[in-house]
Amino acid sequence: MTACPLVVIGHVDHGKTALVRALTGTDTDRLAEEKRRGLSIVPGFAHLKHQGRIIDLIDAPGHADFIRAMISGASGARGALLVISAVDGIEAQTLEHMAIAAALGIRAALVAVTKADLLAPGEAGAREADLRAALSNTDFADAPFIFCSAISGEGLAAVSGELAALATRAADETPPPGAFLPVDRVFVAEGHGTVVTGTLLGAPIAVNDTLVLSPAGRGVAVRRIQVRGEDAVIARPGERTALNLRGLPADAVHTGDVLHEPEAFAPSREADGVFSLPAAGRRPVRHMEVVRVHFGAAQASAHLHLLGAAQMMPGEAALVRLKFRAPVCLYAGQRVVLRRLSPGETLGGALILDPQAAALTAGKPARQATLVAAQAGDLPGLAEALAREGGGLAHIKDVARLARRPAAGLAEALTESFVPVGQNRLASARSLQAAIEAYLENLAAYHAAFPLRLLAPRARMADPNLAPALTAQAETRLAAAGAIVLTAAGAAAAGHAPAGNLSEAQTARMDALETALKAAGLSAPGSAALSGTPEEADLLALLIHSGRAIELENVALNQALLLHADAVAGAIRTLSQAFPGRTAFTTGEARAALATNRKSIVPLLELLDSLAITVRTGNLRHVA
């Protein structure tokens, strides 16, 4: 059977619990304190069946002292049964309960006017007119009205039928992307252990499923399930569910915690959304005001950051960031209620757009654009806005979370204007083109500033406003297209030829450097000794690139050494003659044969090893 949770709301003593008992046969006041005081303290639960549909009735406390419990009960509901006493009419908690229902996005409703048996004959018509006038500016203005009595039975059949119709049109407009159970009760069942209850949202839960308890992040297993007090192998969204958890002590879980599907949700200290302040609000809401946020069965204080405004006036809506003192577990599309700390009053409701908001590194305007696209359900616009926030890249998991869509298939849905970067990120075509243009511009500027240098440092090619991974993608594409030459040492534009940029004086100086290297033989002067200026260092680099000079590295001295190519060729001939065949020689013997110094011999032999001209075995070598 399809289940639909409906919350029963209204002022204290207007007959909510009596009406639920008359409809279902269940007394939802189960606590001794509730029976002693004659009022509901915690949400009570009952259900009725009608034409293949199960209707879960959540009897919310009506007293002002138990607003948190009322919000907890209403948070899982898809519609509301508003109870108004025919004798007392609309009172303070009637109005606040309607405001909370509106804040939670509950639009489908039925109005039950109770205690109708106490009205004088013919009085019902006038009373209905008065009540409808009082509700004319509320979300319940067009709700059906039924006069009824839990004592006489008047109207009860009509209420049952209308509840079934209400359940049919009450849609779960923004379900979570996976199983999500806000815990509203924790207890120990003798012989079974810890049991938690709540209204299940999002997706089914089955026996032996593994869930995560948030915000603690603890993994738990489901040992047993009950739905409406009866054993079940599976619980479905919308059902009142009790879960017996394996290996979890009762003091490890608290009312307000959430049990959810692994990987689908994560706690966070910051969440973004859109907050609506009803026109009936008493005063403005200020930027950075501390508010109490009610979500599921939990509540927590948070700083309310208005994105783009200093304050909100009644009747306005604004994009906001909620900054909590400790991590909380929310989901995109969740409705939360905001209340003032003192005096305690309901401000309005917020729709969570991003439950795992990152720091505002890109600034408020960029974040606002992302949230506007998320609110509008504009997938390409959302991905584009997230890419702007992320330096040209958008993580698929972020797009999926804010779009309230599965991550699978998102890349394919965005192929017209986005390209994949790795397995988990997307780049907009615009951002990738900007990265390519920035790379080429930076490379051209470097070549212009240093025309004698063969390669530009790759780190200098990046646009600081773009993500490094996007620059790497641009670099890869340019290299594949042949537009640049890429090495581990750096990058160069295709066709870049420093030798063609030499002046006569520079050519003469490079020839002089080569002559000095030839004269040095195997003594291997340090590059620093030859290059007294940056220009001479560039000329030496050209000699190395042309193959006329060879650079060695003395690791022990942390020094770069230079040999002319002719000197290296001569050293190879000398070693071949001094140690013919596979005659082994030591480093000292090679130094003596070559008549060179200690500084040069080890780097030279390591060069020959790397070229496979010599073969080293332990402390000995031989010519290959």
Side-chain angles (χ1 to χ4, degrees):
M1 287 187 177
T2 304
C4 180
L6 303 177
V7 64
V8 184
I9 59 176
H11 196 80
V12 64
D13 290 334
H14 278 215
K16 296 187 299 299
T17 301
L19 177 59
V20 171
R21 183 169 56 246
L23 291 170
T24 66
T26 300
D27 186 356
T28 56
D29 281 349
R30 65 181 187 277
L31 302 180
E33 180 71 6
E34 291 177 315
K35 295 184 182 300
R36 184 183 67 80
R37 296 176 61 179
L39 55 81
S40 299
I41 297 174
V42 297
F45 305 96
H47 67 276
L48 57 87
K49 298 178 181 179
H50 189 93
Q51 295 180 350
R53 180 179 289 275
I54 299 178
I55 303 165
D56 283 306
L57 296 177
I58 306 167
D59 182 10
H63 197 283
D65 291 345
F66 308 121
I67 282 293
R68 177 183 178 182
M70 179 270 162
I71 297 174
S72 171
S75 292
R78 299 178 188 171
L81 171 60
L82 175 63
V83 175
I84 304 174
S85 166
V87 176
D88 301 312
I90 293 174
E91 297 194 73
Q93 290 311 111
T94 312
L95 298 173
E96 182 157 30
H97 282 204
M98 285 194 294
I100 291 169
L104 292 172
I106 297 174
R107 300 290 182 265
L110 166 66
V111 177
V113 184
T114 56
K115 306 182 183 181
D117 56 311
L118 301 180
L119 293 177
E123 191 180 352
R127 179 50 59 104
E128 180 176 350
D130 291 342
L131 293 175
R132 285 194 177 278
L135 298 178
S136 60
N137 293 322
T138 72
D139 289 338
F140 291 6
D142 297 326
F145 269 59
I146 298 177
F147 280 74
C148 59
S149 169
I151 303 300
S152 69
E154 175 188 347
L156 293 184
V159 171
S160 292
E162 197 59 50
L163 282 174
L166 173 62
T168 301
R169 66 178 187 271
D172 188 6
E173 58 180 21
T174 52
F180 191 91
L181 184 93
V183 175
D184 56 31
R185 188 183 173 208
V186 184
F187 61 93
V188 175
E190 187 175 353
H192 296 283
T194 303
V195 175
V196 301
T197 68
T199 299
L200 178 59
L201 307 174
I205 291 175
V207 172
N208 295 323
D209 276 357
T210 298
L211 303 174
V212 175
L213 176 67
S214 283
R218 180 170 181 167
V220 299
V222 178
R223 171 187 289 167
R224 183 182 174 201
I225 296 175
Q226 283 196 343
V227 175
R228 303 180 194 90
E230 296 182 359
D231 284 342
V233 296
I234 191 168
R236 294 175 175 80
E239 293 183 329
R240 283 297 305 170
T241 303
L243 301 179
N244 178 206
L245 303 176
R246 183 180 294 116
L248 183 72
D251 59 3
V253 58
H254 307 90
T255 298
D257 287 349
V258 175
L259 282 166
H260 61 77
E261 194 172 309
E263 308 298 330
F265 310 90
S268 173
R269 291 178 183 268
E270 301 189 21
D272 290 339
V274 56
F275 170 51
S276 300
L277 185 61
R282 300 179 183 177
R283 50 192 169 124
V285 171
R286 301 183 307 277
H287 175 61
M288 290 290 289
E289 186 170 338
V290 179
V291 296
R292 180 168 286 114
V293 185
H294 294 260
F295 48 97
Q299 66 171 10
S301 60
H303 281 91
L304 181 68
H305 291 240
L306 302 179
L307 303 180
Q311 68 174 12
M312 283 179 65
M313 300 301 294
E316 293 182 344
L319 295 170
V320 299
R321 169 158 294 191
L322 296 168
K323 290 193 173 184
F324 297 93
R325 296 174 182 173
V328 300
C329 191
L330 302 166
Y331 64 88
Q334 186 171 2
R335 301 269 183 176
V336 302
V337 177
L338 274 57
R339 305 190 81 234
R340 275 203 168 93
L341 300 184
S342 181
E345 61 176 317
T346 299
L347 292 172
L351 173 67
I352 300 299
L353 299 173
D354 187 356
Q356 299 167 36
L360 289 170
T361 54
K364 291 182 180 179
R367 189 57 179 170
Q368 287 176 270
T370 298
L371 298 177
V372 167
Q375 188 180 7
D378 177 8
L379 181 60
L382 172 60
E384 181 71 42
L386 281 169
R388 283 197 296 271
E389 280 196 81
L393 288 179
H395 283 265
I396 289 178
K397 65 179 179 62
D398 294 334
V399 179
R401 184 178 68 252
L402 272 74
R404 306 176 210 167
R405 293 177 54 161
L410 273 182
E412 290 77 5
L414 293 166
T415 50
E416 288 189 6
S417 52
F418 289 83
V419 294
V421 177
Q423 293 184 342
N424 302 313
R425 290 178 288 190
L426 297 171
S428 69
R430 180 193 59 79
S431 297
L432 181 57
Q433 184 59 34
I436 290 172
E437 292 173 359
Y439 196 103
L440 292 174
E441 288 173 5
N442 290 338
L443 186 57
Y446 190 91
H447 286 333
F450 306 101
L452 301 184
R453 295 185 183 177
L454 289 161
L455 298 170
R458 292 164 70 176
R460 295 276 294 270
M461 300 305 102
D463 183 334
N465 297 315
L466 297 176
L470 186 60
T471 298
Q473 180 78 0
E475 184 179 72
T476 300
R477 288 183 172 235
L478 287 169
I484 63 172
V485 175
L486 201 59
T487 73
H496 175 59
N501 297 324
L502 291 172
S503 65
E504 290 185 7
Q506 290 167 335
T507 300
R509 180 58 186 147
M510 189 165 73
D511 290 342
L513 289 171
E514 183 178 5
T515 300
L517 276 178
K518 284 183 178 180
L522 291 176
S523 64
S527 58
L530 292 174
S531 57
T533 66
E535 182 178 274
E536 289 177 332
D538 291 343
L539 294 174
L540 282 174
L542 286 177
L543 281 175
I544 294 169
H545 179 67
S546 68
R548 292 143 68 187
I550 296 174
E551 186 174 37
L552 307 176
E553 183 180 5
N554 188 313
V555 176
L557 297 178
N558 191 25
Q559 186 179 23
L561 306 176
L562 290 173
L563 293 176
H564 195 275
D566 292 349
V568 174
I572 295 170
R573 289 193 297 272
T574 299
L575 289 174
S576 298
Q577 294 167 1
F579 307 103
R582 297 177 62 87
T583 304
F585 58 88
T586 65
T587 300
E589 290 171 337
R591 180 167 64 86
L594 295 173
T596 187
N597 52 36
R598 295 176 181 272
K599 178 181 71 173
S600 303
I601 188 61
V602 172
L604 174 59
L605 291 176
E606 288 177 346
L607 170 67
L608 299 183
D609 291 344
S610 69
L611 296 173
I613 292 169
T614 56
V615 177
R616 179 178 179 178
T617 306
N619 292 324
L620 298 176
R621 288 180 171 85
H622 65 267
V623 177

